[in-house]
Amino acid sequence: DTAVSQTPKYLVTQMGNDKSIKCEQNLGHDTMYWYKQDSKKFLKIMFSYNNKELIINETVPNRFSPKSPDKAHLNLHINSLELGDSAVYFCASSQLGESAYQETQYFGPGTRLLVL
Amino acid sequence: KQEVTQIPAALSVPEGENLVLNCSFTDSAIYNLQWFRQDPGKGLTSLLLIQSSQREQTSGRLNASLDKSSGRSTLYIAASQPGDSATYLCAVSGHKFYFGSGTKLNVKP
């Protein structure tokens, strides 16, 4: 069984479109994250949710809107896609320690987004 | 602002060699440091987590050390195998989570 799953695995779309990426974890964790990995392979945190509540929101354009219907799901909706949004987006989950990052994070396989 | 650096960016070794990957960070106020493995086209797998109060962690052929005062961590891989070929990322957690850019390891048969 996949611990952290993301769909779709690949996403190719035109500039200006709106798209969503879904993430689900079956580990029973209460905290989920979205990361962006750019072309230079740097991973940067975008958002973190704990029990459906936003706890971390980095400096991300408001075209990106996370939605957490329950603690096992954290979806990422992107409006008006731009060329610079092309990247690999990773979802992760963990238990919540004293800080959002204190426990081991488990990552999904990534969604490769290409904006043309 | 925390900066995480990994050296070397790429490493190629023959099978069987012992090797060391380096990670340095600028702010020693961290909760923990984690080493991850990323295979091409795949997600990240957590290898070792060292809490700030610990000096090292071991898992199989892997040993990670942490020297918080000097802002350094090393990942030691013993008796490397071709299956170890991947990109190894370190990440430090404080109030935020910062990744290094990784060391791409190639173990030649």
Side-chain angles (χ1 to χ4, degrees), chain A residues 8-23:
Chain A
K9 192 172 182 180
Y10 300 97
L11 185 53
V12 181
T13 188
Q14 299 286 333
M15 274 177 55
N17 284 350
D18 303 339
K19 291 293 179 185
S20 292
I21 308 172
K22 296 184 177 181
C23 178

Side-chain angles (χ1 to χ4, degrees), chain A residues 9 35 37 40-43 45 58 90 98-99 101-105 107-109 112, chain B residues 31-32 34 36 38 41-44 46 49 51 89 93-97 99-101:
Chain A
K9 192 172 182 180
Y35 289 87
Q37 186 175 39
K40 295 183 179 179
K41 303 301 182 183
F42 277 104
L43 269 154
I45 184 74
E58 291 297 314
F90 287 98
E98 289 185 14
S99 83
Y101 306 113
Q102 199 168 16
E103 303 298 326
T104 299
Q105 295 190 29
F107 281 76
R112 285 144 191 84
Chain B
Y31 288 114
N32 62 48
Q34 297 184 43
F36 293 87
Q38 184 174 23
K42 296 187 179 179
L44 282 72
S46 181
L49 169 69
Q51 300 291 354
L89 297 156
S93 72
H95 295 293
K96 296 186 179 183
F97 203 47
F99 278 86
S101 58

Side-chain angles (χ1 to χ4, degrees), chain A residues 33-73:
Chain A
Y33 312 80
W34 276 109
Y35 289 87
K36 179 180 180 180
Q37 186 175 39
D38 60 25
S39 57
K40 295 183 179 179
K41 303 301 182 183
F42 277 104
L43 269 154
K44 294 182 181 178
I45 184 74
M46 299 174 69
F47 301 102
S48 177
Y49 269 71
N50 174 252
N51 281 326
K52 302 191 295 177
E53 290 189 12
L54 182 66
I55 58 172
I56 293 169
N57 183 357
E58 291 297 314
T59 306
V60 177
N62 57 16
R63 298 181 294 104
F64 291 79
S65 53
K67 286 185 171 55
S68 182
D70 55 60
K71 72 175 190 177
H73 296 85

